Amino acid sequence: MHGRTTSELPPESEGSDARRSSTVLVVDDHVVFAQLVERALSHEPDLTCVGTASSLAEARRLCATRRPDVVIMDVRLQDGDGIDGAAELVAAYPALRVVVLSAFIDARLMQRAARAGATALQAKDGELDDLLDAIRYAELGSLAVHPRLLHRLINSDRASTTPTPVLTQREHEVLRMLAAGHDLGVISRELAISINTCRGHVKSLLAKLGAHSQLQAVVIAMRAGLIGADENRA
C-alpha cells in the first residue's frame, strides 16, 4: 500500500454520514503490512482500529467480541481463503462492510468478492487514500472497485455484441460517477437528487444494460463505448 496522495473526498454536509465514525478490524497474515494499516488508521479521527488478525479463526473471534463496522480482509490467509471468510462474516453480521485486498485481481476475483457480499475490492499495492475512501464510503449492496482495476476485467472478457442502449442524460451522469468509483450517497449529493431517485436511475441502468450489478453495468458501458475506461473521479 503506497503512501498517501492528495485526493478529493465527498463534501461533508450537516446531517450527512459521509464522515461517520467506523471501527475497523485488519485481517492479514503479513504482520508488517497489518501494522502499517493499523498505524495509518490511528491518524484518522473518524476511523478506529479495534485489532489485527492473521487468520480466519482469529478474525471470527475478534468479530464476535469487538463487532467492527468494517473488516479489511486479505484474500490469502494462512488458514483459508479470505473471500470465503468474508462471505462467512457477512452472513453472520449483515451490517458488516468488508474491504477485500489482493495482490492479484482479475474478473473471477471481482465476481467472487461481489457474491461474497464485499463492499469494496482494493489492490494491495494501491494508494492508501483509496483504501481509506473504501473504508469510509463503500456501501452495503454494492462493490466499489477503483477504475484502474476495471481494465483487467474489460480485457479479460469477450467483446459484447449487445446493441448499444439509449441512456438519458441523468442516467449517463450517474453511470460516469459509478465508473469513477463513487457510491450512491456521493452521487446523490453531487447531482442534488435524493438517494431514492439515484437508486431508481441505477435500477434503470441495470435494466437497459442487462447487468446484474453496478460493476457489471460499468464494464458493459465501457465495452459499448458509452463511457471511457479512463473516466476521472468527479
Side-chain angles (χ1 to χ4, degrees):
M1 191 64 59
H2 295 166
R4 300 197 64 171
T5 59
T6 302
S7 66
E8 292 186 16
L9 296 180
E12 296 182 50
S13 59
E14 187 175 352
S16 170
D17 66 348
R19 298 287 284 187
R20 62 191 168 190
S21 296
S22 296
T23 55
V24 184
L25 173 66
V26 181
V27 184
D28 197 300
D29 57 5
H30 291 80
V31 176
V32 173
F33 181 85
Q35 290 174 342
L36 288 173
V37 174
E38 180 180 20
R39 186 176 304 169
L41 293 173
S42 71
H43 295 293
E44 304 299 321
D46 57 325
L47 302 176
T48 302
C49 183
V50 294
T52 62
S54 60
S55 66
L56 290 176
E58 192 175 6
R60 295 186 195 102
R61 179 178 62 81
L62 291 177
C63 278
T65 57
R66 302 185 185 179
R67 295 297 180 93
D69 300 309
V70 182
V71 169
I72 300 174
M73 178 75 76
D74 191 15
V75 168
R76 295 186 178 181
L77 297 166
Q78 55 185 288
D79 61 343
D81 181 277
I83 294 183
D84 289 342
E88 177 185 342
L89 292 177
V90 169
Y93 310 101
L96 181 67
R97 289 172 283 137
V98 180
V99 177
V100 173
L101 289 180
S102 179
F104 177 77
I105 295 176
D106 59 12
R108 181 174 177 273
L109 186 66
M110 290 184 185
Q111 293 163 358
R112 289 188 63 221
R115 286 197 297 268
T119 54
L121 179 61
Q122 294 286 312
K124 202 166 184 179
D125 61 351
E127 301 291 345
L128 176 59
D129 273 351
D130 292 336
L131 175 60
L132 295 177
D133 281 354
I135 294 170
R136 288 185 173 111
Y137 306 122
E139 291 187 336
L140 293 172
S142 63
L143 181 68
V145 183
H146 194 282
R148 285 194 298 268
L149 301 180
L150 293 178
H151 289 285
R152 304 177 194 179
L153 182 58
I154 295 167
N155 292 334
S156 64
D157 273 354
R158 295 177 300 177
S160 174
T161 58
T162 303
T164 303
V166 178
L167 306 181
T168 67
Q169 180 178 350
R170 183 63 86 188
E171 288 169 348
H172 194 267
E173 290 171 341
V174 171
L175 181 61
R176 287 190 62 197
M177 294 192 72
L178 287 174
H182 296 302
D183 62 35
L184 299 188
V186 174
I187 296 172
S188 65
R189 288 193 298 274
E190 289 290 326
L191 298 181
I193 58 178
S194 71
I195 190 70
N196 287 334
T197 298
C198 189
R199 290 193 180 105
H201 288 311
V202 171
K203 184 177 180 180
S204 177
L205 282 170
L206 296 183
K208 287 184 176 182
L209 295 169
H212 300 291
S213 67
Q214 295 174 26
L215 171 61
Q216 188 181 19
V218 170
V219 172
I220 292 172
M222 287 180 177
R223 290 203 212 106
L226 293 171
I227 53 175
D230 58 348
E231 293 282 347
N232 294 323
R233 288 178 179 263

